[in-house]
Amino acid sequence: MTSMGRFAMQSETSENPSMPTFFLALSGEKPFTVTDFVTQWTRQSMHLRHPRFHSRVSHDDRGYFLQLEDTINAVRAHVSEHLHTFAYRNDLKKRIESCLLEPMDLMDRLWEVQISSGPLGSSGAIGRAKVDASQKESVNSKPTTESVLLFRAHHALGDGVSLVAAVSDLCDEAQELREMVQKEIRRRKEKFMKLGFLKKLTKYLQRLVWLCFGSIQALLSHSLLLATTPSNPFDEIRRLSKTTRRKGRSISWCDVAPLDEVKSVAKALGDKGTTVNDVFVSCVTAAVARQIAQHRARMTSLDGTDSNSKQCLALSKNLNVVIPVHLGGGILLPGKSVGNNIGAIVARVPGEMDYTTAASTRLGKVHSALASVKNSPAPILSFAIAKFCSSYLPENWTKSMFVRSNANASVVVTNTRGSPKKLHLNGHTVESSHGFLPLPPGIPIGVVVQSYAGVVSLSLTAEPFAVPDADQFLSWVVEEYKRLSDEAMQTTV
């Protein structure tokens, strides 16, 4: 087990287990079964490419893995059939919530998959618009069945980005995807090799200076965030409203817009270098601000002019946001197995603003705040510190440092890039894919921004006291994006 795997085990709590969860929704003429999964697993040699999937935590030492012996039976033991109900989205939400929160016996397994099948579009895993598009795209025979593959794995096995990337090796197009990655690596190597000796030396020296002085600056900046953010707004809301924290998660997901459209919005409204992630961090923090305002309004209506209410009415002018950063660029390099290769940054972004303020104003401030941190060694530094803590510090110290390190952030937003075109599993089309973030201790809201087959989608995991209505929260994110889109259209007229 890597030191980051040990860190995942040491830093989780009973209320916040470290269990990344995601689902793939397939369409086809017949159900995708457990036998289909096992067949595809062995055909794609997953046990050789990613041997960690065939491991468990040692009984004798929780810091080490033991290999499972019987490959076929070991895989089959991780996969189960599940009842596919017709409660549109609600049943799947409950199953996702259960996957995120129920403990897993790591000495027995590190991951599991639930497979359920039913009529196309019945579970809500595939949105109605995608169901209609799937029917139109099919020329010879139209798919009538959907199968939902609900994955969950402990962070000790791998980070969420690596797990999703590893599962792409299970797809029919796996070899094509690997060749695309290798082609890009060769292109970058060739570009670097064309540089002269002095230019190469200059780049190495610049990297060294950036790492040394950038690390000092990153530590000082993070220390300032810790010193100037005494509390999380949602902790204050819970304290002042006397709301008790109950076990559970608010869950939702949705498709937002075509990826090319989002890139056009970023280009039209943002500075050079504004990314898709910047756009949605801006939209998510706008939704967080509206959620805080809704809590304030509810408390005011309940308490009237009570002094506690007045205290809570103070505006949250700024919010801290955590951005996980995959150090491998969101991909698994050729020959690399699934693992933990993720750091994080914390940035202070605008919070509550006058709703009449242009959405692009928030976007500009968010981009500036994120750019200064993303371009620093902060992700590498956080990765190194986590490795050190898991290897040399007592477990209770590691838990405490992990909670404190988020600088009382209100939300974590992570970005995952999927395949630009639809993939297939044993001939079944992967129509949609959504990942759900295990909430780190102390952070009540987590959002995954994901692109797949040219469409950007969102998924939400939140504590119920912070986000009582997950669907409404995502609707606020989409509304903010629509505001940006409208402003972008006006700039091009």
Side-chain angles (χ1 to χ4, degrees), residues 370-438:
L370 295 183
S372 62
V373 190
K374 284 193 295 186
N375 294 330
S376 76
I380 301 172
L381 200 60
S382 65
F383 179 80
I385 291 173
K387 289 183 67 174
F388 174 83
C389 290
S390 65
S391 300
Y392 300 106
L393 296 185
E395 186 169 323
N396 59 334
W397 288 26
T398 300
K399 288 182 186 292
S400 177
M401 290 185 66
F402 184 52
V403 173
R404 294 174 184 272
S405 66
N406 67 45
N408 285 310
S410 302
V411 60
V412 53
V413 182
T414 187
N415 182 25
T416 302
R417 290 178 295 176
S419 169
K421 65 179 184 178
K422 288 185 178 181
L423 302 176
H424 298 81
L425 277 176
N426 200 25
H428 294 70
T429 303
V430 181
E431 298 288 354
S432 63
S433 171
H434 291 274
F436 298 86
L437 196 72

Side-chain angles (χ1 to χ4, degrees), residues 27 88 120-121 126-139 142-143 146 255 422 431:
S27 67
Y88 190 75
L120 187 63
I126 306 174
R128 292 189 172 99
K130 283 186 175 179
V131 170
D132 294 339
S134 176
Q135 296 284 356
K136 292 177 182 178
E137 289 171 2
S138 302
V139 179
K142 298 186 181 298
E146 72 172 21
D255 295 330
K422 288 185 178 181
E431 298 288 354

Side-chain angles (χ1 to χ4, degrees), residues 189-221:
K189 282 185 176 180
E190 289 172 0
K191 182 179 179 181
F192 181 76
M193 293 305 294
K194 289 179 181 178
L195 297 175
F197 173 76
L198 290 179
K199 286 188 176 181
K200 288 180 183 177
L201 181 61
T202 302
K203 280 187 173 291
Y204 282 125
L205 292 175
Q206 287 175 339
R207 183 76 173 176
L208 183 61
V209 170
W210 170 81
L211 187 61
C212 293
F213 290 96
S215 296
I216 296 172
Q217 183 179 5
L219 285 171
L220 292 174
S221 297

Side-chain angles (χ1 to χ4, degrees), residues 269-271 282 359-369:
L269 298 180
D271 298 330
S282 179
S360 55
T361 301
R362 177 188 291 275
L363 174 60
K365 293 181 178 180
V366 167
H367 169 67
S368 298

Side-chain angles (χ1 to χ4, degrees), residues 422-469:
K422 288 185 178 181
L423 302 176
H424 298 81
L425 277 176
N426 200 25
H428 294 70
T429 303
V430 181
E431 298 288 354
S432 63
S433 171
H434 291 274
F436 298 86
L437 196 72
L439 293 177
I443 303 180
I445 304 173
V447 177
V448 177
V449 182
Q450 182 170 344
S451 63
Y452 171 70
V455 176
V456 177
S457 61
L458 302 172
S459 66
L460 170 72
T461 309
E463 294 202 37
F465 89 88
V467 180
D469 189 335

Side-chain angles (χ1 to χ4, degrees), residues 270-283:
D271 298 330
K272 184 179 180 181
T274 300
T275 65
V276 169
N277 200 47
D278 293 341
V279 169
F280 282 103
V281 170
S282 179
C283 295

